[in-house]
């Protein structure tokens, strides 16, 4: 009799991965990061358990959009007052470049408590320096086809 394996959150061994976002296309990189955060790269993936790893993304200010998305892509959000605030991708890159990659990954994760827990394992930095040297993150090449 073969039984289906269901992962338990206490049994998951999480690893740390280091991703360099320099000259990577945002959507391709975000989809690969989302797979790692969800744990779909493991054979023990279980949909209702967070089996993913930690991801440290550096050089977030050097990501690339194809076409005219720097000027045409609009980010909108609700402030609590009537109307919405919006800005282009180019102005967001100047203001807070790590939000471009974080929003792309966030929209590819489940929209529930588990998705928010998965997103908390993503650490994004605009420059090449990060404070996670003690975790010894292993370099991983993502976002290439």
């Amino acid at each position: 009799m073969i039984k289906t394996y269901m992962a338990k959150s206490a049994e998951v061994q999480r690893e740390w991965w280091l991703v360099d976002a320099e000259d990577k296309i945002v959507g391709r990189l975000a989809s690969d990061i989302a797979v790692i955060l969800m744990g779909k790269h493991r054979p023990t993936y279980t949909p209702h358990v967070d089996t993913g790893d930690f991801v440290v993304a550096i050089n977030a200010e050097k990501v690339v959009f194809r076409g005219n998305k720097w000027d045409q892509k609009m980010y909108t959000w609700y402030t609590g007052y009537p109307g919405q605030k919006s800005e282009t991708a180019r102005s967001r890159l100047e203001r807070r470049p790590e939000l471009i990659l974080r929003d792309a990954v966030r929209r590819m994760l489940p929209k529930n408590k588990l998705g928010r827990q998965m997103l908390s394992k993503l650490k994004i930095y605009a420059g090449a320096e990060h404070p996670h040297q003690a975790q010894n993150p292993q370099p991983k090449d993502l976002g290439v086809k």
Side-chain angles (χ1 to χ4, degrees):
M1 173 87 92
I2 297 174
K3 296 201 174 188
T4 302
Y5 175 77
M6 291 291 187
K8 295 163 189 64
S9 59
E11 296 175 354
V12 177
Q13 296 292 322
R14 289 188 169 73
E15 299 176 11
W16 284 74
W17 298 106
L18 179 66
V19 176
D20 189 5
E22 184 173 0
D23 297 328
K24 300 286 175 64
I25 299 171
V26 174
R28 293 180 184 180
L29 180 63
S31 65
D32 289 345
I33 290 175
V35 166
I36 291 176
L37 291 176
M38 285 188 277
K40 285 191 167 188
H41 65 292
R42 297 174 181 243
T44 59
Y45 170 71
T46 307
H48 63 276
V49 178
D50 184 10
T51 58
D53 294 335
F54 287 87
V55 176
V56 178
I58 58 173
N59 293 323
E61 79 278 357
K62 297 178 183 174
V63 293
V64 176
F65 276 123
R66 290 286 170 102
N68 295 326
K69 289 189 186 124
W70 285 118
D71 298 316
Q72 292 177 352
K73 184 170 180 62
M74 298 296 290
Y75 290 96
T76 60
W77 65 95
Y78 180 63
T79 63
Y81 289 98
Q84 289 185 330
K85 298 281 277 188
S86 64
E87 67 181 349
T88 62
R90 187 175 308 280
S91 64
R92 178 161 284 193
L93 181 72
E94 295 167 1
R95 192 172 60 91
R96 291 188 60 196
E98 62 275 357
L99 284 183
I100 291 176
L101 189 56
R102 180 175 304 279
D103 279 350
V105 173
R106 177 181 60 86
R107 292 171 180 167
M108 294 180 186
L109 293 175
K111 278 69 172 178
N112 53 25
K113 292 179 185 178
L114 188 59
R116 289 186 289 277
Q117 180 181 349
M118 291 173 184
L119 188 64
S120 69
K121 295 182 302 186
L122 175 63
K123 316 297 182 188
I124 301 176
Y125 299 98
E129 299 297 320
H130 63 88
H132 303 288
Q133 296 295 336
Q135 283 75 25
N136 192 18
Q138 301 301 315
K140 193 164 184 85
D141 194 24
L142 298 179
V144 293
K145 296 288 178 193

